[in-house]
Amino acid sequence: MLISLKAILDLAESRNIAIGAFNVTTLEGIRALVDAAEELDQPIIMQFANAAHSQLIPLEMIGPIMMQFAERASVPVAVHLDHGANFEEVHRALDLGFTGVMYDGSTLSYEQNAANTRAVVEMAEEYGASVEAEIGAMGREEFASAGESSEQEAIAGTYTDPDQAAKFVRETGVDCLACSFGTVHGIYLKTPHLDIPRVGELRSKTGVPIVMHGGSGISDEDFVRVIDQGVRKINFYTYAVKYAGDAVRQKIGAADGNIFFHDIASWGMESMKETYQKTIRVFSKLN
Ligand code: 13P
């Protein structure tokens, strides 16, 4: 069933878990994700990063499919725009019925980011949708698409300042906040070291759920640590599609005779479903 981002985050808060916010770029990814969530009977956020992935599939093509799967799912699903780049993109997602939108003004000045985010909150209110925004830097440009590796490592000087984050939330009225505390998008070249106490401070000073980007490559132990400090939404993409690529390579290597394209799609889907299930289990603290 389709629910708002705010409602799904409230659910996470009541259970002290995080909801996986999985980026989708293919029908196989959408099917794998919904299947995984339904089998585990857990809520999910299905999101599309138009700024990073519009060359793979346009928002207007994948958006209605995401909505249809969310509406028919037996578990709560929020459909979300990831890293919305401007008002026009946010509007397009809201018009499609997305129940959450991220506006990413993190590269702008504080004042400009706050003013634009405030305008997005007003826009989303008209649709009954919820808003995520970001302050601090997380290597946005390096958001890996289709498994391309990222070179950037997080720089402690760009981590989100808890007092500034609290002011930002007061001034904008956002429902949740993406913060920088040691994660980056894409593939880590060095083991990430997360500033865990900062997460707790961000949560208590802002009073809203904290969003962690760059979930791929984080250890299960660190996932649990950040969840216990107040992370309620974890963005995850690169490893799901990387492992699916690895699985397809391995199957092709082992195959005799013809390989049909639908075989490749199924192999990728199976692998993604497995990754989603493992990840959702950790985020939902199952077993
Ligand atoms: P990864 O691709 O590193 O898992 O990050 C996804 C993300 O943060 C999308 O916003």
Side-chain angles (χ1 to χ4, degrees):
M1 79 221 55
L2 178 70
I3 71 168
S4 75
L5 179 68
K6 166 111 179 55
I8 220 164
L9 293 174
D10 287 346
L11 207 69
E13 187 66 37
S14 69
R15 290 176 53 197
N16 190 33
I17 61 164
I19 313 287
F22 300 99
N23 291 81
V24 292
T25 52
T26 58
L27 180 59
E28 286 70 30
I30 295 173
R31 290 179 61 192
L33 178 57
V34 173
D35 268 8
E38 286 185 334
E39 272 180 30
L40 293 173
D41 197 21
Q42 294 299 311
I44 42 158
I45 298 164
M46 191 191 303
Q47 60 183 14
F48 182 65
N50 190 60
H53 293 144
S54 61
Q55 83 285 6
L56 299 176
I57 186 164
L59 175 62
E60 277 69 23
M61 197 177 283
I62 197 165
I65 305 173
M66 292 164 73
M67 290 294 296
Q68 198 184 103
F69 272 80
E71 278 157 3
R72 291 185 186 169
S74 63
V75 293
V77 182
V79 177
H80 186 64
L81 174 72
D82 189 25
H83 290 287
N86 50 51
F87 296 152
E88 185 257 349
E89 198 174 284
V90 167
H91 240 298
R92 284 164 60 199
L94 291 170
D95 279 341
L96 287 165
F98 282 29
T99 58
V101 286
M102 175 185 189
Y103 171 72
D104 182 355
S106 61
T107 57
L108 304 173
S109 67
Y110 172 88
E111 287 72 24
Q112 196 61 63
N113 186 8
N116 290 1
T117 302
R118 177 73 216 146
V120 167
V121 168
E122 281 165 18
M123 206 188 285
E125 261 166 19
E126 287 173 32
Y127 291 81
S130 333
V131 176
E132 171 186 349
E134 171 177 336
I135 54 170
M138 284 180 292
R140 181 162 73 109
E141 309 311 337
E142 282 71 23
F143 184 12
S145 123
E148 294 294 314
S149 76
S150 151
E151 301 281 329
Q152 184 180 333
E153 293 301 324
I155 305 155
T158 64
Y159 288 2
T160 308
D161 173 60
D163 291 313
Q164 193 184 50
K167 182 168 178 275
F168 186 85
V169 170
R170 274 197 310 276
E171 289 176 359
T172 59
V174 290
D175 298 287
C176 58
L177 189 66
C179 295
S180 169
F181 48 88
T183 61
V184 291
H185 296 115
I187 295 173
Y188 292 91
L189 298 182
K190 291 188 220 127
T191 310
H193 291 290
L194 307 188
D195 186 345
I196 310 273
R198 185 180 295 261
V199 180
E201 210 186 326
L202 285 162
R203 175 69 183 90
S204 63
K205 288 196 168 161
T206 61
V208 293
I210 302 302
V211 180
M212 178 167 122
H213 283 237
S216 296
I218 301 298
S219 69
D220 291 356
E221 294 73 23
D222 273 351
F223 279 137
V224 173
R225 284 189 194 108
V226 296
I227 293 168
D228 286 341
Q229 293 297 316
V231 165
R232 296 286 168 252
K233 173 176 184 278
I234 302 181
N235 287 13
F236 190 99
Y237 177 65
T238 302
Y239 272 23
V241 287
K242 182 198 173 319
Y243 292 149
D246 292 347
V248 166
R249 188 182 2 229
Q250 193 263 325
K251 294 270 194 187
I252 289 175
D256 281 331
N258 291 326
I259 294 173
F260 298 97
F261 178 72
H262 56 235
D263 296 324
I264 296 176
S266 307
W267 294 331
M269 188 161 72
E270 262 168 46
S271 166
M272 283 189 276
K273 182 173 167 186
E274 205 179 303
T275 306
Y276 292 141
Q277 287 208 329
K278 278 191 192 146
T279 312
I280 293 169
R281 279 184 176 282
V282 176
F283 296 174
S284 287
K285 299 182 174 167
L286 303 181
N287 62 40

